[in-house]
Amino acid sequence: MKKVAILTSGGDAPGMNNAVIAVINSAFSNDMIPYVVYGGFKGLVEGEIKKVEPSDLKAIKQNISRGGTFIYSARLPEFKEEKVREIAVKNLKEKEIEALVVIGGDGSYMGAAKLTKMGIKTIGLPGTIDNDIASSDYTIGYFTALQSITNAIEQIRDTAESHNRCIVVEVMGRYCGDLAINAAIATGVEVLSVPEKYLEEEEIISQVKLRREKHNDRSIIVLVTEHQYDVAKLAKKIEATTGIESRSSVLGHLQRGGVPVSMDRVYASRMGNYAIKLLKEGKYSLAVGIIKEKLVSFDILKAVEMKNPSREGLIQIYKESK
Ligand code: F6P
């Protein structure tokens, strides 16, 4: 009987738990023995690997509606070093574990691909709020984070409207604007700057002025993806240049926690189940995704190199509908 381990790696994301539960349950259903690795690749190197017993299943199921990852996560840049990975491989082989399902972003996919070359059969599942993995239309955690951002912007809107203010809001996404663009459409954000359509400071300021002077807006939300601006400084500059009272808010890690919404749970469960099906068929070194509602898989190294489709159409929808 095949032994398969699962780990979550990189930034946690709501729905990761559902993927883990699906992998564990599908492994049992397909006569495999599941193991969990606590704490991502770091835990793998430190030997934090535990066999899942059927008697654990009831307690594990409690995590079906919880955010975060109950098998914990970590970032381990040292995993790039071969000697570090050799320890991980030794730990798996000692327990005769042949296969490993890795849930994480593209850094985690790289780690998984390298383990495959060292004799471990790996499958990657896209787990990150950023939606920046091109081999899947949606990543696990994205829908929940988008909802959290939508809620947060609406709350910020209430106070901005009451005080006749401009508020600059920074959201996560790394170098992908999906969270910001879709939150902007969902909440009618007035000014948007994302990696796919970056606005210079002067352009942001002139759009803020226009919203106040031409559209007579009381509340003006400027939404930017992280790594673009120091939003506190930007708000001060807007206030100094336009005379519109301005504030800033970095949403930070509140976007990453919380009860997973149904779509994240369902996609995560489907992909977790598919990972086991692929292993059962003897397939590995693959990144699983969902494209146009269908389960798909790509060579994991090719998946890392794939580019996200253009977001121009979506940005145009935002512009025309605000
Ligand atoms: O990749 C998920 C993510 O939340 C990014 O949006 C963000 O840039 C990063 O992780 C933050 O990571 P950390 O919690 O390690 O600071």
Side-chain angles (χ1 to χ4, degrees), residues 217-245:
D217 290 333
R218 274 181 69 83
S219 56
I220 300 168
I221 306 293
V222 177
L223 186 61
V224 302
T225 308
E226 61 182 345
H227 308 308
Q228 296 192 345
Y229 282 103
D230 175 330
V231 289
K233 278 193 187 149
L234 179 59
K236 283 206 173 86
K237 187 81 184 274
I238 293 171
E239 182 166 314
T241 328
T242 64
I244 300 168
E245 201 180 4

Side-chain angles (χ1 to χ4, degrees), residues 198-206 229 233-234 237:
Y198 175 75
L199 297 187
E200 301 287 347
E201 194 176 83
E202 297 69 41
E203 179 61 18
I204 292 178
I205 292 170
S206 88
Y229 282 103
K233 278 193 187 149
L234 179 59
K237 187 81 184 274

Side-chain angles (χ1 to χ4, degrees), residues 171-187:
V171 295
M172 284 184 172
R174 238 168 26 137
Y175 299 100
C176 175
D178 281 17
L179 284 169
I181 300 166
N182 287 301
I185 293 172
T187 62

Side-chain angles (χ1 to χ4, degrees), residues 19-130:
V20 174
I21 293 169
V23 168
I24 291 171
N25 286 332
S26 308
F28 278 124
S29 303
N30 286 279
D31 297 322
M32 293 183 194
I33 303 171
Y35 283 71
V36 291
V37 180
Y38 288 98
F41 287 126
K42 185 165 183 284
L44 194 59
V45 174
E46 290 169 358
E48 299 290 330
I49 307 167
K50 187 179 166 289
K51 185 176 171 193
V52 181
E53 303 290 348
S55 58
D56 297 328
L57 291 180
K58 206 168 174 185
I60 287 175
K61 194 177 173 186
Q62 303 295 315
N63 298 295
I64 203 159
S65 56
R66 285 182 58 202
T69 160
F70 77 98
I71 60 170
Y72 315 135
S73 193
R75 297 193 193 276
L76 184 68
E78 296 82 356
F79 206 69
K80 289 195 189 87
E81 294 164 29
E82 183 151 8
K83 64 178 193 312
V84 175
R85 291 197 303 277
E86 274 165 4
I87 305 169
V89 171
K90 181 174 109 331
N91 289 341
L92 286 168
K93 290 200 169 157
E94 256 172 26
K95 291 191 157 38
E96 295 171 330
I97 299 170
E98 289 172 53
L100 177 69
V101 178
V102 173
I103 309 175
D106 47 13
S108 314
Y109 280 14
M110 285 304 290
K114 285 183 176 147
L115 286 180
T116 300
K117 291 207 173 116
M118 297 166 82
I120 304 295
K121 297 171 176 163
T122 56
I123 300 274
L125 300 190
T128 163
I129 63 165
D130 299 333

